[in-house]
Amino acid sequence: MGGKIGTTLILYLLVLVVAFSGCAGNADQQVVPNSSTVHITDMLGRQLTVPAEISSTIGTSSPSTILVYMLAPEKLAGWNSKQNLTQPFMDENYSNLPVIGNWLGSKTGNYETIIEMHPDIVIESTSTEGQINEAIERRQESLGRIPVVVIDDSILLVTQSDPTIEYTGKLLDCEARAEKLIEFRSSILNEINSTVKDIPEDEKVRVYYAEGPKGLMTDPSGSPHSQLIDICGGINVADCPLKSGTGMTQVSIEQVMDWNPEIIITSNPQFYASVYSDSLWTSVDAVRNKRVYLAPQNPFCWIDRPQGPHLIIGTAWTAKMLYPDLFADTDLSGLTREFYSEFFHYELTDEELDMLLNPQAGT
């Protein structure tokens, strides 16, 4: 008798283990009888009850916020920060949303602000505040009854973001657009991978990522901030420590001159405005050969800061800047129009497209 009970108990526990392991990171919903809520499991494996129809969402950092904007803009309730761009290339219904602060980097977020906005859910994609479980517990306690749904921070990485895009698509009931984004991403990465995989090591271009207004901060190979150089087959010349978190390792002009990159890419308009007239940089090959490229900025920088799912269009841009001959057939204008229409919900005019792909220092 005791053996039978023991066997039954073991089988029951196994069923529970299989059930919960299968639920981890699953946005499929389990309807709560006689209720307007559903049960879900977030990507951290936490069991949550959320509204059956989610209409208002806040992200605690830019990567999750941008993902919500790209998949379901009508469900986004606010931005974490905002760039002061004269041409945001964004519908006013979205660009005028309130700025609620950030829990990543500058940590300007305020819990009271979110509570007063009454969002249906808060999405957390990453945290630098100690262990992730502890950070989520603090966040949930501070936000009271507003469910905090955790998504995987792989959304920061262009090559690993599919599961998070798929999960968020199910969560916000926009699976078709999530699938489109995954297909767009895969198409670009497949073309780049098939093109750069056979470039001999000694024929790869040597690239410096210039950050900060003087261009003397950078992120070496392996950093998520410089990931597009690695993906596109460039050699990141920065031989300096990889600074975790916010990155941006300080270097000297003497180091840059010693590395002597063939190409410089930058996300800083102020640096771009001065680099060709600054005597400190005139001996660097990239400057002498006019191969310094400023990444498009609107509505979010295409290559870094903020990171997020939009970097996929910056990956196509980077490949074209590094290897213009190898990617001569890549229709960057067509890809940009498609990307902005589908995922930024904005139809670019010819003039705006030209402005975007040929950014000036004052953009």
Side-chain angles (χ1 to χ4, degrees):
M1 184 69 176
K4 186 178 291 183
I5 292 174
T7 302
T8 303
L9 180 60
I10 290 171
L11 287 172
Y12 176 71
L13 291 174
L14 281 173
V15 168
L16 284 180
V17 169
V18 170
F20 279 101
S21 63
C23 285
N26 189 343
D28 289 340
Q29 301 173 349
Q30 180 183 349
V31 176
V32 179
N34 302 318
S35 171
S36 59
T37 60
V38 294
H39 293 320
I40 65 165
T41 304
D42 71 9
M43 297 189 79
L44 200 59
R46 298 161 62 243
Q47 311 294 308
L48 297 168
T49 301
V50 302
E53 292 187 15
I54 296 172
S55 59
S56 177
T57 304
I58 280 181
T60 58
S61 61
S62 292
S64 58
T65 296
I66 293 173
L67 179 59
V68 173
Y69 172 63
M70 290 173 67
L71 298 183
E74 72 283 0
K75 299 182 180 182
L76 183 65
W79 299 103
N80 303 103
S81 61
K82 189 176 290 185
Q83 299 186 72
N84 294 317
L85 299 169
T86 55
Q87 297 283 347
F89 298 153
M90 182 183 288
D91 188 288
E92 288 185 355
N93 289 329
Y94 308 131
S95 64
N96 288 334
L97 289 174
V99 176
I100 52 96
N102 205 325
W103 276 265
L104 183 66
S106 57
K107 295 182 177 58
T108 56
N110 181 293
Y111 290 114
E112 293 302 321
T113 301
I114 293 180
I115 292 171
E116 290 173 1
M117 294 173 69
H118 304 293
D120 291 327
I121 61 170
V122 167
I123 294 183
E124 171 93 15
S125 66
T126 188
S127 173
T128 57
E129 300 176 17
Q131 295 298 314
I132 184 69
N133 287 300
E134 298 172 4
I136 296 303
E137 286 175 9
R138 287 199 301 273
R139 194 87 75 225
Q140 185 63 82
E141 184 177 345
S142 299
L143 290 171
R145 300 177 64 179
I146 303 172
V148 177
V149 182
V150 179
I151 61 174
D152 196 284
D153 63 3
S154 64
I155 196 62
L156 300 176
L157 304 173
V158 173
T159 59
Q160 300 177 26
S161 55
D162 282 1
T164 305
I165 295 171
E166 184 178 13
Y167 177 91
T168 308
K170 287 183 179 179
L171 177 69
L172 300 180
D173 192 26
C174 50
E175 293 172 81
R177 183 167 284 145
E179 185 58 34
K180 273 189 178 179
L181 179 56
I182 290 172
E183 290 175 0
F184 188 93
R185 191 200 68 87
S186 297
S187 174
I188 287 179
L189 285 184
N190 289 341
E191 181 185 354
I192 291 173
N193 290 338
S194 64
T195 303
V196 305
K197 66 182 177 62
D198 295 325
I199 299 176
E201 198 66 18
D202 61 355
E203 293 182 17
K204 291 182 177 179
V205 291
R206 304 175 71 256
V207 187
Y208 174 70
Y209 176 31
E211 299 180 86
K214 295 182 179 179
L216 292 177
M217 289 187 279
T218 192
D219 285 282
S221 178
S223 166
H225 295 288
S226 59
Q227 60 180 302
L228 301 195
I229 297 173
D230 296 336
I231 293 171
C232 296
I235 296 176
N236 189 329
V237 298
D239 183 12
C240 61
L242 193 160
K243 191 175 177 181
S244 62
T246 55
M248 299 185 83
T249 301
Q250 184 75 49
V251 298
S252 67
I253 187 63
E254 289 78 15
Q255 285 176 292
V256 178
M257 291 167 68
D258 186 51
W259 297 331
N260 198 23
E262 301 169 76
I263 293 174
I264 294 174
I265 62 172
T266 184
S267 56
N268 192 291
Q270 191 175 343
F271 167 71
Y272 183 75
S274 64
V275 64
Y276 285 121
S277 58
D278 189 334
S279 59
L280 290 176
W281 290 83
T282 53
S283 65
V284 177
D285 275 356
V287 178
R288 289 195 299 110
N289 297 322
K290 306 292 185 188
R291 296 201 68 184
V292 181
Y293 302 110
L294 174 64
Q297 306 282 308
N298 322 50
F300 318 107
C301 179
W302 282 19
I303 62 171
D304 189 23
R305 304 179 201 282
Q307 295 165 309
H310 64 292
L311 294 192
I312 187 59
I313 188 65
T315 311
W317 176 85
T318 302
K320 191 103 173 172
M321 297 305 106
L322 266 56
Y323 299 105
D325 293 337
L326 294 180
F327 291 96
D329 293 334
T330 297
D331 180 9
L332 189 57
S333 295
L335 288 173
T336 302
R337 279 192 189 282
E338 179 185 352
F339 186 82
Y340 273 64
S341 177
E342 290 284 351
F343 307 116
F344 282 170
H345 323 291
Y346 187 85
E347 303 298 330
L348 291 165
T349 66
D350 290 345
E351 183 181 4
E352 289 170 336
L353 179 65
D354 181 63
M355 186 187 306
L356 193 64
L357 296 181
N358 299 284
Q360 301 300 309
T363 301

